[in-house]
Amino acid sequence: SRPILDMSYSRQFLDFQGSSIPSSMKKLVVTKLSQNFREAVTLQQDSPVPLPGDGDLLVRNRFVGINASDINYSAGRYDASVKPPFDIGFEGVGEVVALGLSASADYSVGQAVAYVKAGSFAEYTVVPARQAVPLPSVKPEFLTLMVSGATAYLSLKELGDLSEGEKVLVTAAAGGTGQFAVQLAKKAKCHVIGTCSSDEKGGFLKSIGCDRTINYKTENVESVLRKDYPEGVDVVYESVGGKMFDLALNALAIKGRLIVIGFIAGYQNPTGLPPVKAELLPAKLLKKSASVRGFFLNHYLSDYKMALQHLLKMYERGDLVCEVDFGDMSPEGKFTGLESVFRAVDYMYMGKNIGKIVVELPHSVNSKL
């Protein structure tokens, strides 16, 4: 039996490679509320490494995920009562390097874990053991499932009512969540249409099963939908907002369902909202017996672990592509280190990514093994 070592109250503990955990670390902190990420967020060089409590893990982050809503968080839109400074970043994958006594019942030092919790844009994050997800290894692909994959899975399952043969439109289809909406709708035996901004993204979408891709830079989305789908589409998985929302609403079939998982087109505005032609919404919905449904992952946490286990099994069986974009094609190259989070957020808002944007945090650990 493994001896239980209580390291929760010690300031000097060793990590599993036999190297001392430093007393200070780098992390990103929101120091001013703004939807301009570069203005809002500061890289702090010498923050104290936090200590895990009795039921906690100290995770050394190896990969962190970029989300469109990072700038909603830095603008203070989720909780008006929270005032700067506060930590940022929603999800990470790494190794357990220290843990509290209760947490050691289920976890051990060296174990690979993923988590969803504010404060992942840091070299080390304290994660309650009950919120951690044990993984077979530290791989960036697992990170794509934590927020993006789970959002697509739960929103389509709970709100999509997908039936075989239905037509599903996915906007921003080559993005972090879009890639999963395409694949999951395809697995439900639906006909999938995906919008994207380049032929390269269109090629990726075809490779994961998209039946019809629409490059909105070279094709008129509204015309294509009207011509190719005169009866309309049954489900829209919508994350863009603004004109795309209006267009998707108009394209709904009788009894169509429009699922709103975001509206990235407005996040950089001071209000966070893109303008939409909402005054006609009641009439349009009534005329088609259609519905608009919102989805926010935090409201579905009771089903979260089930969704994640399902997605992990699919990935491990080879039934799910988890595309990761490290920014290798970006002007300054791969997103490495916390300082590159700023570039990664810019890259997302320029619409350059194919798949989930992930930043790697390399560790210069002097192993004594």
Side-chain angles (χ1 to χ4, degrees):
S1 64
R2 180 169 51 77
I4 292 175
L5 187 59
D6 180 5
M7 295 189 281
S8 55
Y9 309 107
S10 162
R11 296 201 168 266
Q12 293 299 321
F13 34 68
L14 296 178
D15 76 1
F16 70 102
Q17 287 183 310
S19 311
S20 295
I21 293 171
S23 57
S24 65
M25 65 172 186
K26 293 180 186 175
K27 72 172 179 176
L28 294 187
V29 178
V30 176
T31 48
K32 172 191 168 189
L33 295 183
S34 172
Q35 76 281 355
N36 181 328
F37 193 83
R38 287 178 181 271
E39 278 182 19
V41 178
T42 304
L43 174 62
Q44 295 190 348
Q45 298 281 353
D46 54 355
S47 295
V49 172
L51 288 172
D54 180 57
D56 296 333
L57 312 172
L58 181 66
V59 177
R60 184 168 63 191
N61 293 314
R62 289 271 304 281
F63 300 102
V64 294
I66 304 295
N67 292 282
S69 45
D70 287 329
I71 70 172
N72 286 332
Y73 201 63
S74 71
R77 288 177 185 143
Y78 286 157
D79 185 349
S81 68
V82 178
K83 300 286 181 268
F86 55 86
D87 297 349
I88 190 165
F90 292 129
E91 55 186 341
V93 165
E95 302 105 350
V96 175
V97 291
L99 70 173
L101 185 58
S102 300
S104 66
D106 298 307
Y107 288 92
S108 55
V109 168
Q111 191 159 357
V113 293
Y115 63 90
V116 175
K117 177 185 177 285
S120 71
F121 292 164
E123 291 179 315
Y124 295 85
T125 303
V126 167
V127 180
R130 60 189 161 73
Q131 288 180 22
V133 178
L135 297 174
S137 61
V138 174
K139 283 173 75 173
E141 285 78 9
F142 293 126
L143 194 56
T144 67
L145 302 174
M146 298 302 294
V147 171
S148 301
T151 294
Y153 178 87
L154 286 167
S155 61
L156 289 173
K157 180 174 180 288
E158 299 294 326
L159 308 177
D161 282 339
L162 298 183
S163 300
E164 185 174 343
E166 286 194 312
K167 298 173 189 71
V168 178
L169 170 65
V170 180
T171 64
T177 66
Q179 64 170 330
F180 294 111
V182 167
Q183 293 178 79
L184 294 168
K186 199 67 201 150
K187 286 186 191 308
K189 300 185 175 167
C190 295
H191 175 93
V192 184
I193 309 137
T195 69
C196 61
S197 60
S198 71
D199 290 342
E200 188 191 359
K201 291 184 179 187
F204 165 68
L205 289 174
K206 285 187 178 133
S207 77
I208 59 170
C210 206
D211 296 288
R212 173 69 160 96
T213 60
I214 308 173
N215 178 348
Y216 62 81
K217 295 276 177 78
T218 57
E219 292 182 274
N220 182 299
V221 180
E222 198 169 7
S223 306
V224 170
L225 291 173
R226 201 180 294 125
K227 177 172 159 291
D228 292 1
Y229 305 96
E231 304 279 293
V233 295
D234 302 291
V235 176
V236 183
Y237 181 90
E238 217 294 272
S239 61
V240 176
K243 288 177 181 166
M244 189 63 86
F245 173 87
D246 291 329
L247 196 150
L249 182 68
N250 292 337
L252 282 178
I254 303 293
K255 297 184 183 174
R257 288 88 69 198
L258 195 162
I259 304 170
V260 176
I261 65 118
F263 31 90
I264 191 172
Y267 293 170
Q268 290 177 301
N269 299 346
T271 62
L273 296 167
V276 293
K277 295 175 180 164
E279 65 273 10
L280 295 174
L281 186 64
K284 286 179 178 176
L285 296 179
L286 179 67
K287 191 173 157 189
K288 294 178 175 176
S289 294
S291 63
V292 176
R293 302 172 176 191
F295 179 88
F296 188 50
L297 186 59
N298 287 12
H299 299 148
Y300 289 84
L301 294 181
S302 57
D303 297 317
Y304 178 76
K305 285 236 161 143
M306 170 276 297
L308 203 55
Q309 295 308 332
H310 187 82
L311 291 165
L312 283 165
K313 280 187 188 128
M314 286 177 74
Y315 172 66
E316 283 164 8
R317 283 200 310 263
D319 288 345
L320 199 61
V321 172
C322 297
E323 189 69 18
V324 172
D325 192 332
F326 278 120
D328 294 297
M329 298 295 129
S330 67
E332 293 171 60
K334 187 176 175 179
F335 303 134
T336 306
L338 285 170
E339 46 284 340
S340 69
V341 167
F342 298 96
R343 283 200 299 122
V345 170
D346 290 343
Y347 182 74
M348 168 173 278
Y349 278 90
M350 287 187 285
K352 300 289 188 191
N353 57 300
I354 296 181
K356 173 88 181 181
I357 301 176
V358 173
V359 174
E360 182 171 5
L361 305 185
H363 288 279
S364 51
V365 174
N366 299 318
S367 176
K368 294 179 185 146
L369 295 181

